[in-house]
């Protein structure tokens, strides 16, 4: 069972304005960049040259190249024309690092699901479809759901409609590998 999840959960629909998204550069033109939104199903967007970096840009390829991953901010969404305008320059370093950290946590959570599937001898795709998506829909991400699981126990999985055996298998591995979120009180 060397199967791996080579996909992140894909959101349906359109992103919200001002949302930060991970994108992959697909095409670089002299005054714009086309990207695919990695977190959304079949969504593409455009970054105008004025939204790449502050100041004058002599060569757009000094900032981006094809297949590069970038964190962008959604500026405008036109659902009727299926058009999404993005900005690279309006993303602060702190926002970029926060988004990258969120994605690392989500990949780690997907690896935990792989471990559960391997240990319980369950098909990974079936586990993802039956358990992973329920967790994402309820908590916003796998990692946040797993953190909640560490705090409140496997009952939250059972309440979400998961099989008791699967919930137990997930809870065991998650509790071994994820620490409860820390809260500082002053």
């Amino acid at each position: 069972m060397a199967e791996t999840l080579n996909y992140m959960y894909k959101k349906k629909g359109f992103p919200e304005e001002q949302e930060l998204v991970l994108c992959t550069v697909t095409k670089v033109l002299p005054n714009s960049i086309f990207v695919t939104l990695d977190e959304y199903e079949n969504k593409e967007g455009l970054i105008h040259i004025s939204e790449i970096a502050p100041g004058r840009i002599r060569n757009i390829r000094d900032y981006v190249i094809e297949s590069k991953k970038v964190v962008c901010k959604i500026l405008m969404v036109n659902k009727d024309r299926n058009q999404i305008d993005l900005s690279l320059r309006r993303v602060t370093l702190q926002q970029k690092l926060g988004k990258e950290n969120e994605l690392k946590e989500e990949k780690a959570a997907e690896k935990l699901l792989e471990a559960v599937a391997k240990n319980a001898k369950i098909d990974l795709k079936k586990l993802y479809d039956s358990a992973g998506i329920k967790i994402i829909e309820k908590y916003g991400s796998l990692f946040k759901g797993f953190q909640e699981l560490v705090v409140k126990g496997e009952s939250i999985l059972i309440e979400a409609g998961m099989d008791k055996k699967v919930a137990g298998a997930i809870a065991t591995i998650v509790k071994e590998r994820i620490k409860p979120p820390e809260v500082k009180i002053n």
Side-chain angles (χ1 to χ4, degrees), residues 25-73:
V25 176
T26 54
K27 191 175 192 181
V28 179
L29 299 175
N31 58 5
S32 59
I33 301 167
F34 286 93
V35 297
T36 56
L37 280 67
D38 294 354
E39 300 172 62
Y40 286 86
E41 281 185 346
N42 306 317
K43 295 291 177 225
E44 291 184 342
L46 176 114
I47 306 170
H48 188 267
I49 193 167
S50 64
E51 291 297 333
I52 293 169
R56 182 162 155 58
I57 297 173
R58 293 180 193 272
N59 184 358
I60 203 167
R61 291 188 182 273
D62 290 342
Y63 297 91
V64 291
I65 55 172
E66 275 92 356
S67 74
K68 181 179 180 180
K69 300 273 186 194
V70 291
V71 176
C72 296
K73 182 177 269 190

Side-chain angles (χ1 to χ4, degrees), residues 32 53-55 58 81 90 92-93 102 167 185:
S32 59
R58 293 180 193 272
R81 293 172 52 191
R90 297 185 196 198
T92 66
L93 180 61
E102 183 184 310
I185 301 172

Side-chain angles (χ1 to χ4, degrees), residues 24-164:
T24 303
V25 176
T26 54
K27 191 175 192 181
V28 179
L29 299 175
N31 58 5
S32 59
I33 301 167
F34 286 93
V35 297
T36 56
L37 280 67
D38 294 354
E39 300 172 62
Y40 286 86
E41 281 185 346
N42 306 317
K43 295 291 177 225
E44 291 184 342
L46 176 114
I47 306 170
H48 188 267
I49 193 167
S50 64
E51 291 297 333
I52 293 169
R56 182 162 155 58
I57 297 173
R58 293 180 193 272
N59 184 358
I60 203 167
R61 291 188 182 273
D62 290 342
Y63 297 91
V64 291
I65 55 172
E66 275 92 356
S67 74
K68 181 179 180 180
K69 300 273 186 194
V70 291
V71 176
C72 296
K73 182 177 269 190
I74 304 290
L75 296 180
M76 191 225 30
V77 176
N78 184 333
K79 295 178 182 176
D80 298 332
R81 293 172 52 191
N82 200 26
Q83 180 181 341
I84 301 170
D85 291 341
L86 302 136
S87 174
L88 255 175
R89 75 178 175 92
R90 297 185 196 198
V91 178
T92 66
L93 180 61
Q94 188 175 4
Q95 289 173 322
K96 181 181 177 204
L97 294 174
K99 185 66 177 178
E100 288 172 351
N101 188 46
E102 183 184 310
L103 294 167
K104 282 180 189 171
E105 290 174 343
E106 203 58 15
K107 282 186 180 177
E110 287 182 351
K111 291 288 183 194
L112 286 178
L113 262 191
E114 273 183 47
V116 170
K118 188 176 179 183
N119 289 355
K121 294 178 178 55
I122 303 170
D123 179 56
L124 180 59
K125 175 115 176 75
K126 285 182 185 172
L127 179 64
Y128 196 83
D129 292 343
S130 67
I133 291 177
K134 287 180 183 175
I135 293 169
I136 291 168
E137 287 171 351
K138 186 164 183 178
Y139 297 101
S141 77
L142 267 179
F143 191 78
K144 288 178 186 168
F146 288 167
Q147 282 185 318
E148 195 71 17
L149 171 78
V150 171
V151 174
K152 294 185 178 174
E154 69 185 73
S155 62
I156 66 164
L157 298 178
I158 296 167
E159 288 170 15
M162 237 172 275
D163 179 67
K164 284 184 180 183

